[in-house]
Amino acid sequence: MLTKEEFSRYSRHLLLEPFDDHAQQQLKRATVIIFGIGGLGNQVSMALAGAGVGKLVLVDNDDVAVSNLPRQWLFGSAEVGQPKIEAAAHRLTALNPHCEVVSVPFINDEKSISEHLHTCNVLVDCTDNQTARFYINRLAYRYHTPLITAAASGFIASVVALQPWLKTGCYQCLEDAVNDTQSCIDQGIYSPVVAIAGQLQAMLTLNLLTGVAPVNWGQLSLFDGTFFTLQQFTLARDPACPVCGD
Ligand SMILES: [Zn+2]
């Protein structure tokens, strides 16, 4: 049951036609693991905590740098040098005390998150390197857990939702299409573009958890900030993929 305070807090969502208190309770019961609390992870964690997701597991081992501040809005100048997961947990708990925030300071370490892998509803990949992305993709496949992955570089944002064990394709076999080998360190990043990518990821996560709108598995959404266009592509699974192939 939602409390009176929760009905009031989430009232603007609850006014939406498909979004009833059952959907809100689905969020309250949900656990989401967010890998990477950089530009994407900031947006995703703020949106999910604000919307009422019950438990967020934040996985990151970076400290806040001054160059993060233009697009990582959970952090201010006073947090420079602090571990991102600690600064983020503090801000997210202040944003919504109903949201339990768990911090995990290890990346690419399955043991450190094993208890959460068995209970979480979705993995959200907000990392910016291939090693981490391939690792998270393998976790999604082995634990049969949906994966929402995104990338942002320059003026381009891309987002895709995957269920690799259901032959939707996985990150590894779609890598060429997702094409995020360039990180923002290499190419630079336009701050609103990473916010758009993170919010699209958050929306897909909320759609998945509540069912208020469909999730088109294996469909890549590509936002181009140069031309202000959003395009969709249906990706083809690679039957020879080493993770999800035949
Ligand atoms: Zn694959």
Side-chain angles (χ1 to χ4, degrees):
M1 279 292 287
L2 297 177
T3 64
K4 197 175 166 189
E5 194 272 343
E6 286 171 313
F7 270 108
S8 180
R9 177 182 285 267
Y10 307 122
S11 60
R12 299 305 187 269
H13 267 173
L14 294 167
L15 283 169
L16 295 168
E17 181 60 41
F19 206 111
D20 54 14
D21 58 335
H22 174 73
Q24 194 63 55
Q25 287 182 56
Q26 295 281 94
L27 292 183
K28 192 175 176 176
R29 282 193 287 269
T31 297
V32 178
I33 304 181
I34 303 174
F35 296 89
I37 306 299
L40 296 170
N42 263 248
Q43 294 293 326
V44 171
S45 61
M46 283 192 283
L48 299 187
V53 169
K55 184 172 174 181
L56 295 179
V57 180
L58 312 181
V59 183
D60 197 300
N61 67 349
D62 264 351
D63 295 335
V64 179
V66 71
S67 63
N68 300 148
L69 301 182
R71 64 201 169 280
Q72 299 184 21
W73 305 327
L74 281 171
F75 314 130
S77 299
E79 279 83 41
V80 171
Q82 286 184 20
K84 286 186 177 179
I85 47 172
E86 284 181 20
H90 181 71
R91 288 288 300 277
L92 294 168
T93 305
L95 170 66
N96 190 347
H98 300 290
C99 179
E100 180 190 354
V101 182
V102 177
S103 301
V104 179
F106 307 102
I107 55 164
N108 303 348
D109 176 29
E110 186 176 335
K111 236 190 307 183
S112 66
I113 52 168
S114 58
E115 64 178 296
H116 308 296
L117 284 168
H118 289 289
T119 55
C120 77
N121 303 90
V122 55
L123 307 179
V124 186
D125 181 358
C126 299
T127 62
D128 63 355
N129 68 84
Q130 295 287 30
T131 305
R133 287 178 180 276
F134 286 148
Y135 154 73
I136 296 160
N137 181 59
R138 288 193 300 274
L139 291 180
Y141 183 77
R142 282 200 284 112
Y143 286 85
H144 288 199
T145 306
L147 171 65
I148 315 284
T149 189
S153 185
F155 289 83
I156 305 290
S158 58
V159 184
V160 65
L162 300 165
Q163 289 182 311
W165 70 99
L166 293 179
K167 312 288 186 196
T168 63
C170 76
Y171 175 76
Q172 185 136 0
C173 59
L174 305 178
E175 180 206 348
D176 286 345
V178 176
N179 188 23
D180 64 339
T181 51
Q182 298 279 320
S183 78
C184 68
I185 295 172
D186 306 314
Q187 274 208 335
I189 177 72
Y190 194 40
S191 298
V193 168
V194 75
I196 288 166
Q199 291 299 331
L200 290 174
Q201 248 180 322
M203 191 186 294
L204 283 173
T205 305
L206 294 175
N207 290 353
L208 169 65
L209 294 174
T210 61
V212 300
V215 175
N216 296 316
W217 300 102
Q219 180 181 275
L220 177 75
S221 297
L222 195 71
F223 174 78
D224 185 335
T226 312
F227 300 102
F228 230 72
T229 52
L230 183 65
Q231 293 178 286
Q232 259 92 36
F233 303 91
T234 300
L235 301 176
R237 170 179 162 266
D238 178 4
C241 172
V243 177
C244 74
D246 303 325

